[in-house]
Amino acid sequence: MMGTPVRLQKYLAQCGVASRRKAEELIASGRVSVDGAIVTDMGVKIDPSHQRVAFDGTLLKQRQHKKYYLLNKPKGYVTTVSDPQGRPIVTGLITDSSVRLFPVGRLDIDTHGALILTNDGELAQKIQHPSHEVKKTYEALVEGRPDNRKLRDLANGIDLEGRRTSPAQLVVVEARPHTTLIRVIIHEGRKRQVRKMFEAIGHRVIDLKRTSYGGLQLGKLPKGGYRRLTPEDLKIIFKKIPLQTKK
Ligand code: URA
């Protein structure tokens, strides 16, 4: 597939070599090559996805701006970048991004709440690594009223599919006539973990909402609404996960 052609001087600027005007001088002075051939003409357009541009013999790489969003994922959306069954995908909700975003981790189709989307692969990989123990907070509405012993079992860790869950924090937020709203904080991210934890103690989850991820609160974002992460948000995230580069 062909990419979008871009003027050579613009491409040099995008790669951080120089400003566009300065890049024109560099081209004119014969220091820039495309696919191994020196180019001194100003009008040349290149396709960065196929052509190799070098400055003083060094191949250039396009810098991609990192973007970070927090989405209030609605139910009914899948957290994959495409879906063979044609179900709606979360990335389709972010309408103002010029870059290809992907969700960080997963939320079940029937779970709603906080989901980070980014084009920063390094952050996405590290934030999900168990060693960083990034906290996720959920509000689970469960059937019935789990007694304290069962809640303590979940807090201490239970056997789930042959592997013990890590310690969790559980707080009863509200006891309703036939259901209980429980706040659950975990730092693992196993598939359908919260639902399975409650199933294991005999209390099915009726509704599951993630209210925070890695210290970022969902706050008042409406369902399907999203916001760009602020520099403050990024500080919170990056403090927990030291990366090589932030930009
Ligand atoms: N646990 C679940 O059961 N489902 C989710 O989507 C996230 C955590």
Side-chain angles (χ1 to χ4, degrees):
M1 214 172 64
M2 298 299 279
T4 312
V6 57
R7 280 186 185 279
L8 188 54
Q9 58 268 46
K10 184 172 175 186
Y11 182 71
L12 291 174
Q14 285 173 351
C15 294
V17 172
S19 67
R20 261 193 238 186
R21 183 167 305 180
K22 182 85 184 142
E24 288 178 1
E25 290 172 24
L26 299 175
I27 294 167
S29 60
R31 296 173 68 184
V32 177
S33 66
V34 177
D35 291 336
I38 297 286
V39 170
T40 51
D41 291 347
M42 232 23 79
V44 172
K45 282 189 169 181
I46 60 119
D47 176 354
S49 65
H50 281 76
Q51 291 180 288
R52 295 179 321 144
V53 178
F55 170 59
D56 281 348
T58 303
L59 273 185
L60 299 179
K61 247 175 84 180
Q62 207 164 11
R63 275 199 304 210
Q64 209 188 19
H65 243 72
K66 304 278 166 60
K67 291 209 171 165
Y68 307 89
Y69 291 85
L70 182 68
L71 169 74
N72 184 354
K73 173 197 173 299
K75 288 182 188 179
Y77 281 76
V78 291
T79 53
T80 45
V81 289
S82 65
D83 186 57
Q85 295 173 49
R87 294 171 299 184
I89 56 175
V90 284
T91 46
L93 291 165
I94 313 281
T95 51
D96 70 351
S97 174
S98 53
V99 299
R100 279 170 78 93
L101 298 169
F102 49 84
V104 175
R106 60 185 308 285
L107 279 180
D108 302 332
I109 186 164
D110 42 2
T111 301
H112 53 119
L115 182 71
I116 296 176
L117 292 111
T118 184
N119 60 343
D120 183 345
E122 192 188 3
L123 173 89
Q125 202 187 358
K126 290 203 169 169
I127 204 170
Q128 294 178 80
H129 197 275
S131 65
H132 292 296
E133 301 198 347
V134 168
K135 281 187 185 162
K136 296 123 196 170
T137 307
Y138 296 89
E139 280 184 4
L141 183 68
V142 305
E143 281 177 349
R145 169 73 174 94
D147 61 30
N148 286 342
R149 187 185 51 82
K150 285 179 174 173
L151 293 180
R152 218 173 24 245
D153 287 347
L154 287 189
N156 290 336
I158 54 159
D159 185 68
L160 214 57
E161 292 159 350
R163 205 153 49 90
R164 203 177 170 78
T165 56
S166 297
Q169 284 170 258
L170 288 103
V171 177
V172 173
V173 178
E174 198 185 327
R176 299 176 185 172
H178 306 289
T179 57
T180 312
L181 186 64
I182 300 173
R183 182 173 305 130
V184 186
I185 304 178
I186 56 173
H187 55 73
E188 289 175 298
R190 300 201 221 162
K191 204 170 171 189
R192 296 182 79 81
Q193 178 161 348
V194 175
R195 292 174 195 279
K196 284 179 185 163
M197 283 167 64
F198 282 103
E199 256 158 46
I201 59 160
H203 293 268
R204 196 175 66 89
V205 170
I206 301 164
D207 185 70
L208 188 61
K209 174 183 183 178
R210 185 154 70 192
T211 56
S212 109
Y213 187 104
L216 298 184
Q217 305 293 328
L218 188 60
K220 293 200 178 345
L221 269 182
K223 276 193 184 151
Y226 61 88
R227 63 176 179 81
R228 289 280 294 274
L229 295 191
T230 64
E232 281 309 308
D233 293 330
L234 292 173
K235 250 190 238 160
I236 292 172
I237 287 274
F238 284 108
K239 203 162 89 196
K240 292 182 203 294
I241 311 146
L243 299 182
Q244 303 289 317
T245 50
K246 291 188 191 177
K247 285 274 160 198

